[in-house]
Amino acid sequence: PVAVLAGGDKILTKSALIDGMLWILADGPVTIKLTENEKLYTDVSGHWGAADVAFVSGRGLFLGVDDTRFDPDGAMTRAMLTTVLYRLEGEPDGAAGKRFDDVAADAWYARAVAWAAEEQIVLGTDNGFDPEGTITREQLAAMLCRYAAYLGLDTSARGGLDGFSDAAAASEWALQPLGWCVENGILTGKGDGILDAGGSTTRAEVAAMLCRFMKLLLK
């Protein structure tokens, strides 16, 4: 179930059922109702990330690639992730106009990128924003860490990466956010002591990490 403002249909995106209790992050007192908003995707049944996909899609954070498919193993792009965070934040007004040369003013992700750039949640790459570029695990960690700081969370805690055999391959700029995500259980290894900081992420993997992030935010 998802929490919805009573008397309307606005989903409270920052909400989750944790240990049998409903946790909600709101600006003030709210009256809510619970409703089912399950999205049935034909390619998610039996997938390891089915519960995480249900969580993010039920809150409208992720949309399917069409009416029946979520594409859980498909690549997550930088534009997609920025839009997910924008929806989680309630689609606030961002900076007017485009910030990056490779983001058209009428692109479906333009408002999300404008907001995220204004709040320094996204910083771009050497070649602009690169909206269709696949988000890497260390880029994801950095964006989540910046978003957490934007929300007022303490992001100073940093777990060690020594337990990962390929930690030395992580970019220098990503060490702090990677450590923060590892410390808080948002980012885990890929088995056999592999971090794969520069590896790409799938839509299901991002859904899972966002679920873990939400629990940290709410508790």
Side-chain angles (χ1 to χ4, degrees):
V2 296
V4 178
L5 286 177
D9 58 0
K10 180 177 174 58
I11 295 175
L12 296 173
T13 55
K14 295 174 183 172
S15 63
L17 192 64
I18 305 173
D19 298 329
M21 295 182 62
L22 180 66
W23 294 71
I24 297 172
L25 186 62
D27 294 333
V30 294
T31 302
I32 67 167
K33 63 180 180 180
L34 296 180
T35 186
E36 293 293 335
N37 194 38
E38 185 178 6
K39 309 297 182 183
L40 299 177
Y41 296 112
T42 58
D43 58 352
V44 173
S45 178
H47 192 279
W48 65 264
D52 300 313
V53 170
F55 181 92
V56 297
S57 60
R59 284 158 180 75
L61 304 178
F62 279 63
L63 303 180
V65 294
D66 58 36
D67 291 341
T68 62
R69 294 185 307 115
F70 183 81
D71 192 21
D73 297 318
M76 188 78 176
T77 68
R78 291 169 54 82
M80 287 177 185
L81 178 59
T82 304
T83 302
V84 165
L85 298 183
Y86 180 61
R87 291 174 183 148
L88 177 57
E89 194 55 27
E91 301 187 359
D93 292 333
K98 63 179 183 179
R99 175 76 172 266
F100 300 103
D101 290 339
D102 57 351
V103 176
D106 59 352
W108 59 267
Y109 48 80
R111 290 178 62 85
V113 172
W115 163 76
E118 178 74 8
E119 303 299 342
Q120 297 189 338
I121 296 168
V122 297
L123 305 180
T125 69
D126 293 336
N127 299 309
F129 178 69
D130 189 21
E132 299 304 323
T134 300
I135 195 84
T136 67
R137 288 164 64 83
E138 61 184 12
Q139 287 173 348
L140 172 60
M143 287 179 65
L144 288 179
C145 190
R146 293 188 203 113
Y147 180 54
Y150 164 80
L151 294 174
L153 273 65
D154 182 2
T155 59
S156 61
R158 174 176 168 177
L161 302 181
D162 295 342
F164 299 104
S165 60
D166 61 344
S171 300
E172 181 69 27
W173 57 263
L175 294 179
Q176 190 279 327
L178 281 170
W180 180 80
C181 284
V182 169
E183 174 72 16
N184 288 287
I186 297 170
L187 181 65
T188 59
K190 301 184 74 172
D192 298 324
I194 300 298
L195 179 62
D196 193 23
S200 61
T201 55
T202 66
R203 286 164 56 83
E205 287 172 339
V206 175
M209 293 180 207
L210 197 63
C211 287
R212 298 170 196 148
F213 177 88
M214 186 77 77
K215 292 178 180 179
L216 173 68
L217 173 63
L218 293 173
K219 296 185 71 173

